[in-house]
Amino acid sequence: MEEHIGSRIYKIRKHFNLSMEKFGKQIGISKGSINNIEKGTTNPSSQTINSICREFNVDYVWLTEGIGDDMFISIPDSKIDQLIEDYGLKPEDKWLVRGYLEAPPDIKQQVADYLWSIVNRELAKREKEKSNKK
């Protein structure tokens, strides 16, 4: 029996260990819609398919047709090497860059939140120093 798109979406959701609610929230649809899609009672819209591919770095052909062994798109080394060169990073930073770029959206958000906390702390420190000089 041929696997339907809903079962591939289920695999993606389980790979990231997301509830139907959290998965749906990341792509802009309800928990009930995810449930219906995974059961195969409804098909996802093209917008939903595109959102899944974009948010989770999923291969479009694998998702829509079940062709290929890898559900995820790997970012080519040439693009990462170009970023390393353009920004003067060390060669060993390549794995950090790749890790971030290929991370699921919730992990990227955690990294961004952490970095913003550092920036905000530094900004607050500078504001305090300015007000102390007055």
Side-chain angles (χ1 to χ4, degrees):
M1 186 170 117
E2 188 176 311
E3 180 181 65
H4 61 85
I5 191 169
S7 60
R8 290 188 291 278
I9 291 172
Y10 173 81
K11 286 179 183 178
I12 296 163
R13 185 172 66 77
K14 285 301 173 183
H15 175 83
F16 291 108
N17 196 29
L18 294 171
S19 66
M20 287 183 188
E21 186 174 0
K22 286 184 180 181
F23 185 80
K25 188 174 184 179
Q26 285 190 231
I27 59 170
I29 64 174
S30 70
K31 173 184 173 181
S33 294
I34 295 294
N35 187 38
N36 289 332
I37 291 169
E38 288 184 0
K39 287 192 302 187
T41 56
T42 60
N43 287 319
S45 68
S46 59
Q47 181 180 351
T48 296
I49 291 169
N50 290 333
S51 293
I52 291 169
C53 291
R54 181 185 62 251
E55 291 297 316
F56 298 99
N57 201 36
V58 171
D59 183 277
Y60 181 86
V61 175
W62 177 86
L63 179 58
T64 58
E65 300 175 31
I67 298 172
D69 295 328
D70 195 0
M71 71 174 96
F72 300 107
I73 296 172
S74 180
I75 297 168
D77 280 344
S78 59
K79 285 188 176 187
I80 295 174
D81 290 338
Q82 190 63 52
L83 285 171
I84 298 295
E85 183 179 322
D86 289 351
Y87 291 92
L89 302 174
K90 298 177 288 199
E92 57 269 24
D93 291 340
K94 179 177 185 172
W95 302 111
L96 294 173
V97 173
R98 177 180 297 285
Y100 177 79
L101 293 174
E102 293 182 352
D106 60 324
I107 300 297
K108 285 180 184 170
Q109 187 60 55
Q110 289 174 13
V111 171
D113 291 346
Y114 173 71
L115 294 174
W116 275 113
S117 74
I118 293 170
V119 168
N120 289 330
R121 193 170 42 233
E122 184 61 28
L123 290 173
K125 179 180 162 186
R126 289 180 184 187
E127 281 299 313
K128 186 176 179 182
E129 289 172 356
K130 270 187 191 178
S131 65
N132 287 341
K133 288 181 180 180
K134 290 181 180 180

